[in-house]
Amino acid sequence: MATGKKKEHWRWEESNWHNPEIDWVKARIITAGVDVGSVSSQAVIMCDGKLFAYSNMRTGSNSPDSALNAINWAMEETGLTLDDLHYTVGTGYGRINVPFANRAVTEIACHARSGGFMYGPTVRTILDIGGQDSKVIHCDSKGKVTSFIMNDKCAAGTGRGMEVFADLLDIPIGEVGTRSLDVEEEPEPVSSTCVVFAKTEAVGLLHAGWSKERVLAAYCSSMAQRVLSLLNRIGIKKDLVITGGIAKNIGIVSRIEDKLGITALKPRYDTQIAGAVGAALFARALIEKDN
Amino acid sequence: MIANYGYKDGSGEFFISIDTAKCAQCEAKPCVEACPEKILVIFTDDYDDEVIGVKEEHRKKIKYSCGPCKPITEKRNLSCQKACPSGAIVHSW
Ligand code: SF4
Ligand code: SF4
């Protein structure tokens, strides 16, 4: 008999990975970066500046536990322990609550630092769409921030807003982007700037006979427009990259690219680990500075 | 670095932009004391420079926090800008 339990469509896939070709015992410097965000947490471990392992999971009810869970999952089956890490940097909204970190660095500086590693040396603008905020960061060729702007006033235009929509429309979060492109012509973006009102507006559109795909197209278009206004405030310097969970949503990325008339560079790694990668790179620079 | 603190909503764009490279060279940081609403704060940034920023608790309501300096009917009096010798603070509204 069916239980009637509603599916949790917002649930994105958590993951961990390690490179079996790297023998961490031979590494001179092992650093870690732990990014505790409001929605997701990531841990990255680097051996002599090379990506060795990472994890990407949902943030739990408290930051210290989330940080520990993330690093333990990244170290799983590697034989590494916390004692083997030479320097750890915490970042993200919970950065000061990473109990095993040597230092906290803002996610803005970490995203800038990771740009070259994740996308190549030509990165100058990073658009990070996180769980509950979005930011635009300009950086130089060394990955140092030259300017930034952030919008964290409202969940609309963020990963959390997209999760709410996936649940409302009963569509797995991983399919939202592709299905939003399955429309004959692009509808007007939803007009509401607040996720609560946008939800109400979407329900109204469904009642008016819109297909789920059309509603998704209108919402993705509205999200793209919102982050674009942030981008326009400080301008775009080429090359542009998009990080965070929303960077995996082709419906948003392609609409941002269309509206801008430029293509964002494609990532070499999971876009959600950008902040933690930057933190691990910062850790390496800091340990080298200290010695 | 140009640090932009504030937000955009249906009523407009409200950002304070601070050129922190200038702040790192500014010993006295007179803007902090000059601000009557105590919105600005001195901190050490990620690159170990001592700079100023907008306090976390004011960032999402900066339009209202700066309200007393920007009366609608009288002349604006931006004490932070007046105190800054190098033009490092810009308001978007
Ligand atoms: S007075 Fe001007 S340069 Fe000095 S800290 Fe304040 S904003 Fe920066
Ligand atoms: S405008 Fe007034 S309240 Fe706002 S930062 Fe400047 S001095 Fe402070």
Side-chain angles (χ1 to χ4, degrees):
Chain A
M1 198 175 84
T3 60
K5 192 174 174 218
K6 194 179 183 306
K7 277 198 178 151
E8 294 178 310
H9 287 298
W10 53 265
R11 276 201 183 274
W12 40 270
E13 203 179 324
E14 298 177 311
S15 60
N16 72 341
W17 170 91
H18 78 271
N19 184 349
E21 285 168 18
I22 293 177
D23 181 2
W24 63 264
V25 178
K26 293 184 183 148
R28 200 172 59 85
I29 301 176
I30 305 174
T31 59
V34 181
D35 182 354
V36 182
S38 54
V39 169
S40 68
S41 297
Q42 295 80 24
V44 160
I45 299 164
M46 286 191 168
C47 292
D48 296 326
K50 291 200 181 83
L51 185 62
F52 171 59
Y54 71 76
S55 68
N56 174 22
M57 62 201 303
R58 221 169 158 80
T59 297
S61 53
N62 78 68
S63 296
D65 286 353
S66 299
L68 263 171
N69 289 341
I71 195 77
N72 283 334
W73 205 30
M75 293 190 301
E76 194 178 78
E77 292 178 10
T78 65
L80 267 172
T81 67
L82 280 181
D83 290 340
D84 298 312
L85 306 176
H86 297 131
Y87 204 102
T88 299
V89 164
T91 188
Y93 128 104
R95 63 184 174 275
I96 52 164
N97 286 316
V98 178
F100 48 93
N102 302 84
R103 182 168 168 174
V105 174
T106 65
E107 59 272 37
I108 290 160
C110 286
H111 276 270
R113 183 61 69 102
S114 75
F117 186 93
M118 298 271 300
Y119 299 86
T122 57
V123 175
R124 294 293 178 273
T125 303
I126 298 151
L127 169 60
D128 174 52
I129 310 174
Q132 291 204 342
D133 63 33
S134 37
K135 28 193 167 317
V136 181
I137 303 156
H138 287 164
C139 65
D140 64 16
S141 59
K142 293 186 182 126
K144 189 173 178 190
V145 180
T146 54
S147 67
F148 77 85
I149 188 165
M150 182 166 169
N151 186 13
D152 59 356
K153 197 170 161 73
C154 156
T158 66
R160 184 65 199 129
M162 192 48 83
E163 288 179 357
V164 169
F165 256 71
D167 246 18
L168 173 76
L169 298 175
D170 258 346
I171 291 178
I173 191 108
E175 291 176 22
V176 164
T178 39
R179 289 189 59 180
S180 80
L181 295 172
D182 195 9
V183 285
E184 280 181 6
E185 67 180 60
E186 188 77 349
E188 282 291 304
V190 288
S191 57
S192 303
T193 51
C194 163
V195 75
V196 179
F197 293 125
K199 215 172 138 179
T200 313
E201 196 175 351
V203 171
L205 293 172
L206 286 172
H207 284 155
W210 281 39
S211 67
K212 288 181 180 180
E213 285 74 13
R214 199 153 176 237
V215 174
L216 278 180
Y219 187 66
C220 287
S221 179
S222 157
M223 265 186 86
Q225 218 160 53
R226 206 157 295 143
V227 291
L228 234 75
S229 73
L230 204 61
L231 263 171
N232 289 335
R233 171 99 211 130
I234 65 167
I236 298 158
K237 296 178 182 173
K238 278 191 173 178
D239 281 324
L240 167 74
V241 300
I242 305 176
T243 60
I246 291 289
K248 296 174 184 173
N249 181 321
I250 183 73
I252 307 271
V253 171
S254 64
R255 285 179 173 91
I256 292 172
E257 290 178 333
D258 282 355
K259 287 176 202 281
L260 288 174
I262 59 172
T263 308
L265 296 184
K266 298 294 163 260
R268 297 170 179 165
Y269 307 100
D270 185 331
T271 54
Q272 279 184 276
I273 66 168
V277 163
L281 292 171
F282 247 106
R284 184 161 189 241
L286 288 165
I287 203 169
E288 283 178 341
K289 194 173 143 194
D290 287 353
N291 291 328
Chain B
M1 176 198 312
I2 308 295
N4 292 279
Y5 297 100
Y7 61 90
K8 177 186 167 156
D9 66 11
S11 64
E13 293 193 12
F14 309 97
F15 288 98
I16 294 183
S17 305
I18 299 168
D19 185 342
T20 61
K22 289 178 177 164
C23 303
Q25 305 299 321
C26 171
E27 289 261 313
K29 297 184 172 43
C31 57
V32 176
E33 276 303 309
C35 171
E37 305 301 316
K38 302 285 168 245
I39 283 168
L40 305 172
V41 63
I42 300 172
F43 70 100
T44 304
D45 73 6
D46 295 317
Y47 307 107
D48 292 334
D49 287 322
E50 196 174 75
V51 299
I52 66 138
V54 172
K55 283 181 188 164
E56 186 89 44
E57 63 266 32
H58 289 286
R59 292 179 193 170
K60 292 182 196 170
K61 54 169 187 170
I62 196 75
K63 173 186 174 185
Y64 303 101
S65 299
C66 291
C69 290
K70 303 181 177 195
I72 299 166
T73 49
E74 292 160 51
K75 204 166 169 274
R76 291 153 63 101
N77 180 22
L78 309 190
S79 309
C80 53
Q81 281 188 341
K82 278 189 188 159
C84 177
S86 45
I89 302 182
V90 176
H91 291 242
S92 72
W93 79 109

